[in-house]
Amino acid sequence: MSGRTTDAGLFLRSVRAYGGGLALLAVVALVTTLALASWPRVTSIVLGGELRHGLVEAGGGGRDIVAGIRTGTFTSGPEVDPAQLWHDLPATATAVRDAMRPPLRAVTSPGDIAARSLAEPTDSPAGAAPNSRYSVTVEVYPDLRRNARLVSGEWPTAPTADDAGPIPVVLTATAASLLGWRVGDVRTAAPMPAATVPLKLVGTIRPLDRSADFWDLDVTRALGHFVDGGDSGKDYGGVAWVAPQAWPALAPRFDATIASVWFPVVPGRFTAEELPQVRSALGAFLASPRTASVGGASVPLSFATALQQPLDDFTARAQPAQTLFAILLSGPLVVALAVLAQAGRLVVDRRRPALALMAARGASPARLRTELAAHGLLASLPAAAAGLAAALLLTPGAVPLALPVGLAVLCVLLPPVVLLLAAGSLEPAPSTRRRNRFAWVAEVVVLALAVAGVALVARRGLDASGAGMQVDPLTALTPVLVALAACILVVRLAGYPVGWVAGALRRGRGAVAFLGASSARHARSGLLWPVFTLVAGVGIALFSVSMLATTSAGLAEGARIRVGSDLSLTAASTLSGAQVDAVARIPGVQHTATVDWAGGLRLSAAGDSSSVSGYLVDPRALDAVQADLPRAARLSTALTGVLPGRTGAALGGSTSRIPITSALVETSGTNVHLGVKEIDFVPGVYVRDAEWVFIDKTSLPASSGIGGRPQTVLVKLAPGADAATVHAELQRIGGRGAVVGDAVAERAALGASPLVAGSEAIAALSIALTLLLCIAALLLTLVLNTAARIRLVATLRTIGYSSRQTAGVLAWELGPVLVFGLAAGAVVGLALPAIVLTPLDLRGFTGSPVQPAIVQDPALVGAVLAGFALVAAVATAVALAGARRRSAAAVLRIGGE
């Protein structure tokens, strides 16, 4: 006598009986959880890396928080003893940092201090030109020995109280060479009339890390200072350091000093998630008045920083990046949901006879649904846990945890929900399944939402992107809505062309094509998910390919814009005519254009007058070297089409709040009236100052007296020229101190950005994962119809169809789905870039001042379509082979029973 079977035993038997379907649900839950849980963490890694990369590129001068306190001449506020100030400065730095909010304090290091004199004139070295001028800035820095190494001589020491000799100082070897100051020589600084300070060079040093904040805050510390004033002579300057113990006695001997305190901003401590809190704390810190206590007196302390600029630049790049990542994730995600729906349908269809028997024996629908949900949880719970664990292991160091856990919980619940939806009512005698009469309402709503989404995205433009770093939901959802709308159109309309084909084949001599086309025309049930899988998969894959091609072409274009041409040569001061001619004669150089340095010009515009850096160019020569750049990015575009009768000019860096269209250049000769166009980007030319003007020298009146000397030569390469060889020749011609701009090197530098590299990697993974999930979806579609397909093969064989004829009839089962799905997916994939990428501001990706044009790579598009078509063909062949292996007699006998 057998024992009684318990409910738990029956449950375990059902699990073993349908373990294959549940395993499939588990695999889909695992993949979906891994993708969803990894998404916010991968985004955090990419964006955090980009934020830190941008701060490193900004250097100490572009991120540190700095304040200066003047003593002596021109000091505002109470008089301050420089010796006492130096003594109290460390305590001031500590107090200021303690007053910072925790988010700002977390990303800054303890305050650093230094003090210096003004640039004091000194005597010239032997053999110097009569009109050359030499100066030195005397500085004290307590941590100099930890930031530099001794090259020659010795470190400076503090003179004793009775020592009336020269003050020992050190300079960098580069600055000493520039000043012609040899170790052991004494030079006398004259800070005030009838007051001198003798300085003895006792050693030379070299920075340990040229990119360290101390050296980056003032480049003259390491390199010295040189200005070629043409006929007015040359200015040479450098920074000399004294021993910290020597400063209190030395500082009062100078007419004025500047004590500095700065807080180094540490890029490695930034994360994208905590950026809003850091920005808020920084704003509060800069807005709050600060004072330094010096000998009991309160001295105003005003801090400034350029940190906002790299943070603003990052935010401008992060928002479109977040949206792009969401779109790239949507492809695998929607295909995974389609696979999950098909897997749930497969499990329920296989279990439906058992469910019907249980219902007939008295099991309530609630009991049956509970068991199905338990089966789903049994498959999804361990799979989701494994997917979450894998996501955490694959993304070490990422910050978000709550969101991945929440998404993993969602993936746990999806399989039970899918099984319940696929099961339907679970009545003992279910009625014939019919199409929901309200389905057309849902389809119309989806079509309307897709059209509205496309229209709204197209109308917004670049300046209407989402605020902050949040995903723009409209742009992210539009691709999915478009894919779903295309799927609905295919399912609704595909029957008509297939019907036309069936009607045309009816008069043919063979019955294979007619029978297959007729069956395909009426077999519309179950087409939604496979069609949606193909449309969404192919569409997002082609979108990813176009994004890769667009960003790659945009990076190359942005690199040329930043350089100004293929290559450029900028001299340390100016270039001679012989050097300019030598550049034009280099083999491989097709066109050249020179940019002349015109010195400082007095410009009056919008009721204001200021000195700006002047540059003279020939627009026609510029057009020749910039022919392959977008017109909006060419300097010549700004110089032409200005007010008639005026000299064309391009103005940049202006602080005026009034748009400037005309200006006046005040000269010693005839004043020049300019027709001005303001540009918001720096042309690919070395610009000296924050405010500058480029003037069309071909229309400049000769009586103006404005002239210039060549400073930069822009080079366009001939087709097939070796850029590396030309680069080497430019470096040789330019000589020491010359800078060679190279678009190839600039492209590599832009491509090294974590945001660019991460976007490319995510796009490639999206394509690969979408393709794999599409394979699973097609195989599931075939498995769902296995029983009907086997019966059809058996029937066809019994009435005399050959294997080839049978295969032809079955090929019509998926043929229309594949053809229309691939075609609709291709249309969606080719249309999405124009819909989505056009309003997304990609200039942060490409480093270009203009939005890159949408690029479609025919080779990559063809490869993706061929890959999907090959996968579909292989899946169909496998299904046909499986159906033809079954015995026709056995199948028909089972059907009769």
Side-chain angles (χ1 to χ4, degrees):
M1 182 175 178
S2 60
R4 182 181 177 184
T5 303
T6 63
D7 289 345
L10 289 174
F11 179 79
L12 293 177
R13 285 187 181 182
S14 64
V15 170
R16 288 195 297 270
Y18 305 103
L22 295 179
L24 181 60
L25 281 177
V27 170
V28 177
L30 173 65
V31 174
T32 306
T33 304
L34 178 60
L36 281 178
S38 297
W39 167 51
R41 293 177 64 83
V42 170
T43 300
S44 171
I45 292 174
V46 172
L47 294 182
E50 178 66 17
L51 173 58
R52 294 184 286 273
H53 175 78
L55 291 172
V56 170
E57 290 294 309
R63 61 174 184 259
D64 287 355
I65 305 171
V66 185
I69 304 175
R70 292 182 65 102
T71 68
T73 306
F74 307 119
T75 301
S76 59
E79 293 186 7
V80 178
D81 177 13
Q84 185 64 42
L85 174 61
W86 180 246
H87 178 269
D88 294 341
L89 205 56
T92 297
T94 300
V96 169
R97 189 166 188 270
D98 290 343
M100 292 179 177
R101 291 183 183 177
L104 182 59
R105 193 185 312 126
V107 298
T108 56
S109 294
D112 218 344
I113 60 173
R116 60 166 54 183
S117 69
L118 303 181
E120 310 293 356
T122 67
D123 43 357
S124 303
N131 62 348
S132 293
R133 294 167 293 275
Y134 290 79
S135 64
V136 65
T137 299
V138 181
E139 185 172 61
V140 56
Y141 178 51
D143 291 333
L144 181 64
R145 297 196 183 195
R146 287 199 292 267
N147 283 270
R149 69 179 180 88
L150 197 63
V151 175
S152 63
E154 61 185 18
W155 291 101
T157 58
T160 60
D162 57 351
D163 186 0
I167 307 297
V169 298
V170 293
L171 287 86
T172 63
T174 303
S177 176
L178 178 68
L179 296 175
W181 198 345
R182 294 178 298 180
V183 175
D185 289 351
V186 177
R187 292 197 183 173
T188 302
M192 293 180 288
T196 60
V197 178
L199 304 173
K200 180 180 180 180
L201 184 63
V202 298
T204 59
I205 60 174
R206 178 168 291 133
L208 286 176
D209 180 8
R210 181 65 184 80
S211 63
D213 292 48
F214 172 72
W215 301 104
D216 193 76
L217 281 170
D218 185 354
V219 295
T220 63
R221 284 172 170 151
L223 304 177
H225 173 67
F226 169 71
V227 173
D228 186 353
D231 295 337
S232 63
K234 298 178 174 63
D235 289 311
Y236 298 88
V239 178
W241 290 274
V242 299
Q245 300 83 356
W247 183 254
L250 178 62
R253 300 172 65 179
F254 295 107
D255 185 37
T257 67
I258 302 174
S260 301
V261 55
W262 69 92
F263 297 95
V265 174
V266 185
R269 300 179 186 175
F270 277 79
T271 62
E273 290 74 19
E274 296 176 357
L275 182 59
Q277 292 85 351
V278 173
R279 297 197 66 164
S280 175
L282 176 63
F285 175 81
L286 296 177
S288 301
R290 307 283 173 188
T291 59
S293 178
V294 181
S298 294
V299 180
L301 193 60
S302 178
F303 282 91
T305 180
L307 179 60
Q308 293 98 329
Q309 188 59 51
L311 297 185
D312 288 343
D313 293 342
F314 166 75
T315 304
R317 295 192 299 272
Q319 197 282 325
Q322 288 271 55
T323 303
L324 271 181
F325 294 160
I327 295 172
L328 295 175
L329 175 71
S330 68
L333 180 59
V334 296
V335 175
L337 293 177
V339 173
L340 189 63
Q342 290 174 282
R345 180 184 167 194
L346 173 64
V347 171
V348 171
D349 285 354
R350 294 268 175 99
R351 288 213 59 194
R352 198 169 293 280
L355 294 173
L357 180 59
M358 293 172 66
R361 297 289 298 271
S364 66
R367 160 74 184 274
L368 299 179
R369 292 192 183 95
T370 301
E371 183 173 332
L372 280 175
H375 283 167
L377 285 174
L378 188 64
S380 64
L381 189 58
L388 177 62
L392 298 179
L393 290 174
L394 292 173
T395 55
V399 175
L401 183 60
L403 182 57
V405 171
L407 294 173
V409 172
L410 176 64
C411 293
V412 171
L413 300 177
L414 279 177
V417 172
V418 167
L419 289 178
L420 294 178
L421 293 176
S425 62
L426 291 176
E427 297 174 353
S431 58
T432 304
R433 298 177 64 183
R434 294 180 298 177
R435 183 177 177 85
N436 192 319
R437 61 180 178 176
F438 295 108
W440 68 271
V441 177
E443 293 176 359
V444 171
V445 170
V446 170
L447 292 174
L449 288 175
V451 173
V454 171
L456 289 175
V457 168
R459 289 181 58 186
R460 292 187 321 178
L462 286 180
D463 295 331
S465 57
M469 294 188 299
Q470 303 303 315
V471 173
D472 180 6
L474 177 62
T475 306
L477 289 176
T478 296
V480 177
L481 291 174
V482 171
L484 189 56
C487 167
I488 292 172
L489 293 177
V490 169
V491 173
R492 281 288 188 180
L493 303 178
Y496 295 103
V498 174
W500 300 334
V501 172
L505 294 174
R506 181 180 301 171
R507 296 183 294 272
R509 301 180 62 181
V512 173
F514 169 68
L515 178 60
S518 299
S519 301
R521 180 186 180 187
H522 298 288
R524 289 175 50 185
S525 63
L527 286 182
L528 177 65
W529 289 117
V531 171
F532 181 61
T533 299
L534 280 176
V535 173
V538 174
I540 299 297
L542 291 182
F543 171 81
S544 302
V545 166
S546 178
M547 192 207 80
L548 289 174
T550 298
T551 54
S552 178
L555 286 169
E557 182 179 86
R560 290 196 303 274
I561 293 173
R562 289 163 73 98
V563 174
S565 53
D566 295 324
L567 294 165
S568 70
L569 171 64
T570 300
S573 55
T574 57
L575 296 168
S576 65
Q579 288 175 303
V580 174
D581 294 339
V583 170
R585 291 194 300 267
I586 297 175
V589 171
Q590 187 177 34
H591 297 289
T592 63
T594 60
V595 179
D596 298 341
W597 164 241
L601 300 178
R602 195 69 185 173
L603 191 72
S604 297
D608 187 26
S609 181
S610 60
S611 290
V612 300
S613 290
Y615 300 88
L616 307 180
V617 292
D618 182 345
R620 289 185 295 273
L622 285 176
D623 263 339
V625 299
Q626 297 181 337
D628 56 346
L629 298 183
R631 290 197 59 83
R634 298 183 199 174
L635 186 56
S636 58
T637 303
L639 296 174
T640 55
V642 295
L643 295 175
R646 300 206 173 190
T647 300
L651 179 66
S654 173
T655 57
S656 172
R657 297 182 180 181
I658 304 174
I660 300 174
T661 57
S662 63
L664 179 70
V665 179
E666 303 169 7
T667 71
S668 57
T670 303
N671 291 342
V672 180
H673 292 272
L674 303 179
V676 175
K677 180 174 182 181
E678 289 189 85
I679 55 179
D680 57 1
F681 64 93
V682 179
V685 179
Y686 177 73
V687 175
R688 292 184 181 274
D689 299 323
E691 295 185 62
W692 39 265
V693 62
F694 284 83
I695 300 175
D696 178 4
K697 66 180 180 182
T698 62
S699 60
L700 191 66
S703 58
S704 65
I706 299 177
R709 298 178 61 185
Q711 183 187 66
T712 297
V713 180
L714 303 178
V715 174
K716 179 176 177 57
L717 296 176
D722 185 359
T725 301
V726 178
H727 181 121
E729 281 296 302
L730 290 175
Q731 193 70 66
R732 182 188 63 80
I733 293 171
R736 183 178 179 181
V739 177
V740 176
D742 190 328
V744 175
E746 191 70 26
R747 166 65 176 85
L750 291 172
S753 161
L755 186 59
V756 174
S759 300
E760 293 174 348
I762 291 174
L765 288 174
S766 174
I767 295 172
L769 189 57
T770 301
L771 183 60
L772 291 175
L773 289 172
C774 280
I775 294 174
L778 291 175
L779 291 176
L780 277 174
T781 301
L782 296 170
V783 170
L784 283 170
N785 297 324
T786 297
R789 189 183 306 109
I790 291 175
R791 288 194 298 271
L792 177 60
V793 169
T795 302
L796 294 177
R797 282 183 168 179
T798 302
I799 63 178
Y801 273 59
S802 65
S803 297
R804 178 175 297 180
Q805 290 174 312
T806 302
V809 173
L810 292 180
W812 279 88
E813 178 186 351
L814 275 182
V817 174
L818 299 179
V819 172
F820 291 116
L822 287 173
V827 172
V828 170
L830 295 176
L832 278 181
I835 297 172
V836 176
L837 292 182
T838 299
L840 276 182
D841 191 351
L842 299 179
R843 292 174 295 183
F845 282 80
T846 61
S848 170
V850 297
Q851 179 79 344
I854 305 300
V855 176
Q856 296 284 3
D857 190 323
L860 288 177
V861 170
V864 170
L865 290 177
F868 277 93
L870 178 62
V871 166
V874 171
T876 303
V878 169
L880 296 181
R884 289 159 57 185
R885 282 199 301 267
R886 299 293 297 272
S887 168
V891 172
L892 293 177
R893 183 171 62 253
I894 294 173
E897 294 173 354

